[in-house]
């Protein structure tokens, strides 16, 4: 698919629906603007709290050291940002970025509630990050890549801003490894998830989209190949909860 947004004949998926490429970013923005205030509550409900274990795995894998520069792409409400900030310390810098202003507002508020103020918050598109080449030791994107229109462009953009030796970590829903688990997961995703969205967030449609977007996201090996095509090396895949979630890590080893 061409990434030319000006051509009305170019389409991409928004969940299971095909939409003009130019429209996807707007529609994703509307989804997350709708759910921003309930986002963390719904995460706890949807995952039975397991999302905290997945994120802890990312934090441990990232191995942020004092003085490092970190970019949290699609960082939303800032839970990863908060932990990275503690690890990088006053000598380092952590930037929270997201394309959605409502999510960034929630993130800034929640960081302030935890006593973290003055941390840079940048509204940015993952496909064309507004940072210089070789700016960061670590770039992360947690549960955001599947909502990006041009994932290949986003991966190239994230690799570009990595310092030589820097690492990219992608945390995302993926494909269950066991067929039996996949069947149970489908029932949960398409029946219970929209119902929870309706009852808790008063937004059934957005959570139906989220379930569909997970199914349209590349599987573990496909995403690994996309990372390699973007110039990342030593790419590894870590399956969590039977492959319902996968963590991908790759390095920018270019001199």
């Amino acid at each position: 698919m061409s990434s030319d947004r000006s051509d009305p004949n170019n389409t991409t998926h928004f969940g299971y629906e095909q939409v003009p490429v130019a429209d996807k970013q707007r529609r994703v923005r509307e989804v997350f603007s709708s759910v921003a205030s309930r986002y963390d509550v719904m995460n706890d409900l949807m995952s039975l709290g397991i999302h905290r274990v997945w994120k802890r795995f990312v934090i441990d894998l990232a191995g942020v050291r004092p003085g490092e520069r970190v970019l949290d792409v699609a960082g939303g409400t800032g839970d990863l940002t908060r932990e990275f900030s503690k690890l990088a310390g006053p000598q380092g810098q952590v930037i929270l970025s997201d394309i959605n202003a409502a999510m960034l507002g929630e993130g800034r508020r929640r960081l302030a509630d935890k006593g973290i103020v003055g941390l840079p918050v940048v509204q940015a598109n993952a496909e064309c990050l507004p940072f210089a080449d070789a700016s960061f030791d670590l770039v992360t994107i947690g549960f955001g890549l599947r909502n990006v229109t041009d994932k290949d462009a986003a991966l190239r953009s994230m690799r570009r801003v990595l310092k030589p030796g820097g690492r990219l970590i992608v945390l995302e829903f993926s494909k269950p490894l066991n067929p039996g688990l996949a069947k149970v997961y489908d029932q949960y995703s398409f029946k219970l998830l929209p119902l929870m969205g309706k009852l808790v967030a008063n937004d059934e449609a957005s959570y139906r989209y989220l379930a569909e977007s997970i199914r349209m996201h590349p599987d573990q090996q496909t995403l690994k190949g996309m990372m390699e095509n973007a110039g990342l090396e030593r790419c590894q895949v870590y399956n969590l909860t039977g492959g319902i979630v996968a963590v991908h890590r790759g390095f920018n080893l270019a001199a």
Side-chain angles (χ1 to χ4, degrees):
M1 182 196 74
S2 167
S3 60
D4 182 4
R5 285 169 163 74
S6 64
D7 185 347
N9 294 317
N10 284 338
T11 62
T12 188
H13 59 83
F14 176 78
Y16 288 164
E17 183 183 356
Q18 285 294 121
V19 300
V21 168
D23 284 357
K24 178 169 180 175
Q25 194 176 106
R26 173 187 59 81
R27 294 184 67 170
V28 169
R29 183 174 64 247
E30 290 171 353
V31 166
F32 284 92
S33 295
S34 172
V35 304
S37 64
R38 293 281 186 165
Y39 185 76
D40 285 348
V41 172
M42 282 298 295
N43 275 351
D44 279 329
L45 287 173
M46 288 187 300
S47 71
L48 304 177
I50 300 173
H51 75 100
R52 299 176 187 275
V53 177
W54 300 332
K55 289 170 182 173
R56 174 48 57 184
F57 182 90
V58 168
I59 292 160
D60 292 343
L61 185 67
V64 174
R65 296 181 293 274
E68 288 197 317
R69 297 193 77 228
V70 179
L71 174 64
D72 188 13
V73 178
T77 54
D79 42 5
L80 286 175
T81 303
R82 181 178 66 248
E83 297 305 314
F84 291 143
S85 178
K86 295 176 186 176
L87 294 168
Q91 299 83 20
Q93 183 182 54
V94 180
I95 296 176
L96 170 62
S97 77
D98 201 292
I99 198 170
N100 186 281
M103 291 293 286
L104 280 178
E106 283 292 312
R108 184 185 287 109
R109 182 177 66 79
R110 290 170 188 267
L111 288 171
D113 286 347
K114 298 292 184 178
I116 300 174
V117 295
L119 185 146
V121 175
V122 178
Q123 188 169 359
N125 185 340
E127 298 174 24
C128 48
L129 293 168
F131 304 104
D133 295 0
S135 295
F136 298 97
D137 300 285
L138 169 70
V139 176
T140 60
I141 180 166
F143 300 118
L145 187 60
R146 74 180 186 280
N147 298 305
V148 173
T149 304
D150 190 336
K151 296 174 179 60
D152 292 305
L155 291 168
R156 290 193 300 269
S157 181
M158 290 186 281
R159 187 205 64 80
R160 178 186 63 78
V161 302
L162 280 174
K163 296 177 181 179
R167 60 270 189 212
L168 168 67
I169 297 181
V170 180
L171 168 66
E172 190 54 88
F173 290 106
S174 200
K175 308 299 181 190
L177 305 177
N178 181 288
L181 176 62
K183 290 181 181 179
V184 173
Y185 185 48
D186 277 345
Q187 291 293 312
Y188 167 78
S189 298
F190 292 103
K191 292 187 177 179
L192 289 179
L193 187 57
L195 179 61
M196 282 192 287
K198 180 179 179 180
L199 295 176
V200 178
N202 195 30
D203 191 345
E204 181 177 357
S206 289
Y207 284 92
R208 183 175 294 110
Y209 158 73
L210 292 178
E212 292 175 358
S213 72
I214 292 168
R215 298 312 184 279
M216 298 301 291
H217 186 67
D219 64 20
Q220 288 91 327
Q221 291 307 308
T222 302
L223 179 54
K224 181 183 178 185
M226 292 168 67
M227 291 174 66
E228 292 168 343
N229 289 338
L232 293 152
E233 300 180 61
R234 288 173 49 196
C235 295
Q236 298 165 293
V237 182
Y238 303 86
N239 287 298
L240 307 180
T241 317
I244 287 175
V245 161
V247 177
H248 288 68
R249 181 176 64 176
F251 294 83
N252 177 23
L253 298 181

